[in-house]
Amino acid sequence: LGLGGGGGGDSTIQYLSDRGDSKDVIDDIISEFEDESDYEVEVTYTSKGTSTDAQLQKMKAAGNPPDVVFDTSADAYRYQRDGDAAPVNDTIEGSGLPDPVNVDGDSYFVPTMVEPLMGWYRNDLYDENPTTWETWQSEAQRISENEGLEGYVVQSGQTNNADTSMTQYLWQNDVNIYAGPSDDIEVTIDQGDNEQRAIETYQWVDQMSEYAPNGSGWEWGDAIGALQQENAAAIMSVGGLPVLTIQEARPDLVENLSPTAFPLPDGRSQDKWWAYMEGHVVWDGGDSTDGAKEFVKFFSESERFMDFVLSAPLFQFPPTEEGLNSDAVKDNEVIQQHQDAMDLVRDNWDAFTTVLATGDDGAPNIVAADAYGQQVFGQSTDQMVVGDLSPEETVSWVADELRALQE
Amino acid sequence: MDERRFLLLATFVPVAGFFAVVWLAPILYALGMSLFDNPTGAASFVGVANYADILTSVGFPKYLWNSVVYAVSSTVLSLLVGLGLALVVNQQVRGGNALRTLMIFPYLLPTLVVIFMWKFILDPNLGVLNQYLVQWGVLESPIAFFSTLQWAMPAVVVASVWKFGSFAFFILLARLQAIDPNLYERARVEGASTWQSFRDITLPHLRGAILIILLVRGIWMFNKFDIIFLSTRGGPLEATTTLPIRVYQLAFSEVNFGGATALAGIMFFLLALVAVVYFRAFEPEKEVAN
Amino acid sequence: MFEFGEGAAGSYVSQATQQRVKRTAVVLTALLVAVFVTIPVYVMIAIAVQSPSSAFAGGSVQLFVDSLSFENFRVLLTETSTPRYFFNSIVVTASSTFLSTVIAVAAGYGLTRFDFTGKTLMARAVLFAYMFSPIVLAIPLYVIFYTLGLLNSYFALTLALTAISAPFTIWLMWQYFQTVPIALEESAWVRGASRTRTIWDVVLPVARPGYISAAIFSFAVSWNDFTMARVVMSQDEMYTITVGASLFLDRVSIGWGETMAASLLIAIPPFCIALFLQNYLLQGFNVGGLE
Amino acid sequence: MASPIRLDSIRKEYSAAGNTHVAVDDLTLEIPAGSFTTIVGPSGCGKTTTLRMIAGLETPTAGTIHFGDRDVTDAPPQDRNAAMVFQSIALYPHMSVRENIGYGLKVQGVDEAERDRRIEEAAETLQITAQLDKMPSELSGGQQQRVALGSAFVQDPDVLLLDEPMSDLDAKLKAELRVEVQRLHKELDATVVYVTHDQTEAMTMSDHVLLLEEGELAQFAPPGDLFDHPVSEYVARFIGTPSTNMLPATVEATGDGYVLTDGQFSVPVPGDLFADRVGDDVTLGVRPQYLDRGGGSHGVRVRVDVVEQLGTEYVVHGETTDGSKIDVVVADDAGLATGEDFDAYFEPDDLFVFDDGGDTICHGDALSQSQPA
Amino acid sequence: MASPIRLDSIRKEYSAAGNTHVAVDDLTLEIPAGSFTTIVGPSGCGKTTTLRMIAGLETPTAGTIHFGDRDVTDAPPQDRNAAMVFQSIALYPHMSVRENIGYGLKVQGVDEAERDRRIEEAAETLQITAQLDKMPSELSGGQQQRVALGSAFVQDPDVLLLDEPMSDLDAKLKAELRVEVQRLHKELDATVVYVTHDQTEAMTMSDHVLLLEEGELAQFAPPGDLFDHPVSEYVARFIGTPSTNMLPATVEATGDGYVLTDGQFSVPVPGDLFADRVGDDVTLGVRPQYLDRGGGSHGVRVRVDVVEQLGTEYVVHGETTDGSKIDVVVADDAGLATGEDFDAYFEPDDLFVFDDGGDTICHGDALSQSQPA
Ligand SMILES: Nc1ncnc2c1ncn2[C@@H]1O[C@H](COP(=O)(O)OP(=O)(O)OP(=O)(O)O)[C@@H](O)[C@H]1O
Ligand SMILES: Nc1ncnc2c1ncn2[C@@H]1O[C@H](COP(=O)(O)OP(=O)(O)OP(=O)(O)O)[C@@H](O)[C@H]1O
Ligand SMILES: [Mg+2]
Ligand SMILES: [Mg+2]
């Protein structure tokens, strides 16, 4: 049904991005690029979350797909699977950049930043950083009962926030949700030991929800609001997002906030730490595909690249360890104020894992990518906390949903 | 060509052309898409399979029910609020003009802004309502109105009524003011009480307007997307997933465009059915076409 | 604030108690609704005009403004493209309002003044035009506009917005023209004025309340619109204020303060209309009142 | 039971936009139980306002209203057992004719069988039986008017108030209904107050006529009295068509006594009334019907302007020599062309004499004794 | 230039909801240039429809309309140089009185100075100079009516169409305006067609009267003719107030010749008209004004029902012995109480005789020769 025709000319590169935060830098990079090449770049900004998908669908439907999309590695892999992505080997090779979407030797994704999950707690209410499930639970209980606010926030519902949190909780208890190579992903969450561990995880989450404000469907901002308005003493969020936000409205509160890793069950170690990897995908088969590849390369090598990444410091981090240790990062004022968060990132850099890289040996996992796209895990928490499924039932609910995605 | 004919063409051709381009064409295109699997990609004709899938899907009855609950409750409440207020303003109350200004304002506000306001008021963390309810001891802890199972739908409905109550208000007020005051006086001379005059004169006069409001507003609310999407995205646990929200999910997060358009077709069919029954039973277009 | 106008035509004979009860009920209802309508607006303003740090000081929301601050507006105006978005909104709202009104006037006039077969069909078609869920029109419309090379143009957005508002405005004008006595036109014809001239000299001036209220409706639709702008406009500099605001409001650097400030700015044109044009609006609604 | 209606110093003010408008001013009168009283007067003189106060739809600004011994000044309309037909007819558009007529009975709790009986009885009298199940919009103007009358009559009220109930009808229907209304009044035990601006109706139908002048009572009397003994120039002019001719004259003393004269005529008048008015300007009123071409005791010269045929008679519109307008009713127009002159004679018997301020000094009967035998 | 107006077999049908309603049927007549023609008839008889066809606002279903020699049947209203005052007044609410009156002139391109001159002239005649700069909503009903008249007159049309231009006025104002309209007609060079349901207006103002009966021509004649020589029972009943009395009678042959009799009276009639009607039922029409208590050649017994004073006269409503209603106009009511009987006499001269179908057989003048000397 696709109709041909219309739209931007041959020398126009259509660029779809949800980085409105970095608009100034992006515009600078584009004008530098336009000075040097024959192409023009036309940016379409979307809001964060699902609206990139909506825009992409419309453009695809009209036969007017974008040439470059800024998206997560998981999305990039989906595009590749659908045959829409063009290889960007030129940019990746020899750049030292990670290569998360490598299919049959071709690279389809140019990472530009990493965004790890991270928790923040009230250091004036919690006596110390409660790192284990047990201490989190007892401390949260103490605070809920004594301090007039909830000790913790349990996220549920069809939001990215809830989905990432639940996934991370499972990882913390060494649940292997999937197994197998890219072309043969198997859902293993309800198999073998995984099942029991998954149930334990849900049980813990269920208990923690006693010490959390009720409600579901919270976006990142809602949880941050709970922290800001002192309705909760700790939240799990992404990077330094909470302090960046709270800085504006409650500057007095910021010094009472300390970063923390996700809670760990006794005896487990922190070996998978959810980190988004976001970057560029080049669309295949368009009139400006070559130009798009050029642009992506130019972008990654631009002098303003670090400015782009650091336009939301502490929330976005460079995609390489080298970048992480660069002067630009070290000299950043905000990062300097929150060295403890920076340390956490540095210390756990090797554990950072994208949801995509959850096949055997970190192979790209299309089921995980799709599950994230529909927030299956976030929904699972909802099923349990709001919908009153037992942890056992929840696990089999999740397993069913995941298998349904494979059809 | 005489002037009459010229004016006839001048008034209808542009309008018909306009509707053909911006309504008919997209609707036909969408209905066409509903017959294909993956219509925006490697389209393959599947006939009514998309319709069958949608109708037999597990969630369908629930989404339909949500839509009906939302459309009916927000429409009826808007009607009641509008009716009550119209009766008040019609009483020549001083301050009635201020009230009228106040009422039209929400209607003109973008949904986005309305949702910002209501989210801010009903938010469990920043929300003023919760803050005061807790402070006054009515609540022990804040309620996340937009994200608890039992509160989400009422919250969405309240925001909708806030925005759309004035639609009914203005139409009803106009009708009320068009009623011959002598009818009330005659009724009083004949001995009718206030309540009897209301029942026997006011209500029958408002009947046509009420029916039109129910039909038009009802259809609009059934199709309403933005207010729900911006406030709850259909959650929690699909408690506010109405058919339009489902259409969006199908189209954009499940990339099932055939399904999405099929569902839209089903909605259209349902509304058309309601409308036809309505036309038959109440003949409201007499209000329009008389 | 609310009191009865004494001695108004047909006002009650003093039936003391019944009267007092009724009066109290009326005033109470009025107050209740007034409060219900006002509170969200007040909250919006209160948050908008305080700096975030004073609005949220101490972990509770300050609704009683003690220090005015235009910090939020400064951020909006300097760090976002708010002015540009506003400009775009005004352009498309104005043109769609105009187009929708013109179409409504033309169609309304034609429907009331000419007899032709299929008029009832047309009446129903206008009502049926409401029934197709607008969100699914997004993709087809995008495809159509893309094919016509009209994406990112004020023209296309104007058309799309008009598509949403036109059914209702047509219905409204149709009703309104029925209240304009045809004898006015006939009297002009008999005096030698052509039909076209009669429309200018007589029909349009007399129908003014009608088309002003139609205009206000299309204004509401256009100013409110998010979906259609999202369909048609993909370049940052073409975004309308609702789309633009929805984008910058999910930035890390923008909080509730700026959100409410932006809302307040968006609310100003509707507020002016409510204030200055409500009488026309009421008259427009008053279709049927004159027949 | 028909009640007498007593109005005591009734005053009604309307304030609009800061201005106070006095619609009815210091009105005192007693309407006998069971009588038929008509209120007449030019548009805006306060007829409807007076009726509405009697109905209880307006509260007087000052003064009291009694129905018999009962003070109803502040009683709500529901408590007055009155029925009213409004100037605008005011049928309930959503009720059938039957329901319209029966609504008052229904509100009073009359059971359906009894209601139907009375509705049908009224409908028969008013000849609208065939229309009982139609809606008001399907009726012609005259039928609507009859429905309105029916719903008032059917209630068996003590006081029946009718506000120009025939203004919308053509002359023929009007004449027919006039008779019906009078007949119904006779059958009912009710005090009827009937507002009209048509003085023919007032004169033909009523026991008493109340003529208002800008809210004040001009005259309250039986119709014949109003016609024959107007208390002022205003009354004389308003009552009767064509309007009473007004001839200016002055009071002069002659050797014989006193006369009213304008040069052409000279009417002897009694000294007791005119002795102290010598030299005053007065106005003589004489009805066009009492002017005669044939002859009489006094005459004025008339120049013909227009002649109208009015049924079996003709009305000659003309001017006197001093330019005042004068109408003469004649039985045939033989030889009267525009511009022609003729003499119109009158008898002192038929005169009214008004002073400078428009008040009546005397009527013709007072003059006849002074005439030379 | 005033044009004569010729209607040839005009027919106008309206179809609504599948039904065809004939509003005007086979109407043929010629209105002389410069004359004043009134269309009368009961509500719904097609008066407005006829006028609208002349104005060009409706196209006849069949037949032709000529203004002089020009066939205007299909000409649009703009091309007819007609002016019209609508039943609904139809002032432009957004224009001042001055603009309202001058709009037609403005359309015709008359320059402003000339326009103002003519507007002021018209306003003066109609006494609305003080209102010129007001808006229509600020005027009283009577003033609005005069504005509408002014805007028609000011245009100097060939054909002036007036649709019940005084229906909203009270009797006094009506009488005044009637004279003004006639005066204006004399000053203008226009053919006037005037619609009214008030037959007094029709009778007093016009050169010709067109009486319609359900869309068909009942009679088209000068008003005196209509009154004195009605062509049918319908015409005789409609024209004149109170309505013409109808006395049933039969044609009988006697030794002497033929008579019309009901038992009480026996009116000799000429054989040429009645010879072949012996035994037929006929109706005698006699106007209430021509019935006399004093005496006359033939009489009927009347039982008094109601007596109305009507100005200087009285109308006695009564019944004949066979129960038909009868009205008698008398000069004084001396001694007439309800239930009393008296004899009312008439002269054959004043009779109309109608056949079974309501058509006139002859008027009184045809009978007078048959009377015994
Ligand atoms: N509700 C009102 N507010 C202000 N003035 C009023 C009101 N009702 C009547 N009036 C004024 O009071 C005066 C008397 O009015 P009323 O209706 O009694 O006149 P009317 O004699 O019935 O006249 P008509 O013959 O035109 O019906 C008029 O000048 C009118 O303008
Ligand atoms: N537009 C129309 N459609 C259908 N029927 C009509 C229309 N106009 C008039 N008629 C019918 O034609 C007939 C004549 O109407 P017309 O208006 O000429 O009456 P009229 O003599 O002017 O009456 P009135 O004295 O009430 O003004 C009526 O029966 C009326 O119902
Ligand atoms: Mg009145
Ligand atoms: Mg008419």
Side-chain angles (χ1 to χ4, degrees), chain D residues 48 87 163-164:
Chain D
T48 299
Q87 196 162 356
D163 195 356
E164 310 202 10

Side-chain angles (χ1 to χ4, degrees), chain E residues 14-16 21-24 41-50 52 58 87 163-164 195-197 212:
Chain E
Y14 287 112
S15 27
H21 175 85
V22 182
V24 170
S43 182
C45 70
K47 303 181 293 294
T48 298
T49 305
T50 307
R52 289 171 58 84
E58 305 282 351
Q87 196 161 359
D163 195 355
E164 311 203 9
V195 167
T196 179
H197 60 223
L212 294 179

Side-chain angles (χ1 to χ4, degrees), chain B residues 185-222:
Chain B
E185 297 188 332
R186 181 185 152 196
R188 287 170 64 207
V189 173
E190 290 184 335
S193 65
T194 309
W195 159 246
Q196 282 170 323
S197 319
F198 176 75
R199 186 195 58 196
D200 296 335
I201 300 174
T202 311
L203 274 188
H205 274 91
L206 295 181
R207 181 178 164 271
I210 289 175
L211 292 180
I212 273 289
I213 291 168
L214 287 178
L215 180 70
V216 170
R217 194 75 260 161
I219 289 173
W220 281 345
M221 293 324 268
F222 192 83

Side-chain angles (χ1 to χ4, degrees), chain D residues 342-362:
Chain D
F342 70 94
D343 286 319
Y345 297 94
F346 56 87
E347 295 298 329
D349 236 30
D350 297 327
L351 289 182
F352 311 132
V353 187
F354 308 107
D355 66 17
D356 239 13
D359 286 334
T360 301
I361 301 172
C362 66

Side-chain angles (χ1 to χ4, degrees), chain D residues 80-145:
Chain D
R80 301 193 181 200
N81 196 20
M84 179 157 172
V85 172
F86 287 82
Q87 196 162 356
S88 58
I89 308 184
L91 298 185
Y92 305 123
H94 55 288
M95 296 185 190
S96 71
V97 168
R98 179 186 300 276
E99 289 164 330
N100 256 286
I101 298 182
Y103 185 68
L105 298 177
K106 188 170 159 198
V107 163
Q108 287 161 22
V110 175
D111 72 52
E112 198 170 333
E114 164 71 2
R115 224 153 66 203
D116 273 345
R117 202 187 54 69
R118 280 157 76 172
I119 292 169
E120 268 149 36
E121 195 182 291
E124 213 158 302
T125 318
L126 292 161
Q127 300 166 37
I128 43 172
T129 310
Q131 274 73 36
L132 273 183
D133 294 311
K134 293 194 177 163
M135 299 305 279
S137 61
E138 297 173 79
L139 303 185
S140 79
Q143 289 164 335
Q144 291 189 9
Q145 202 91 60

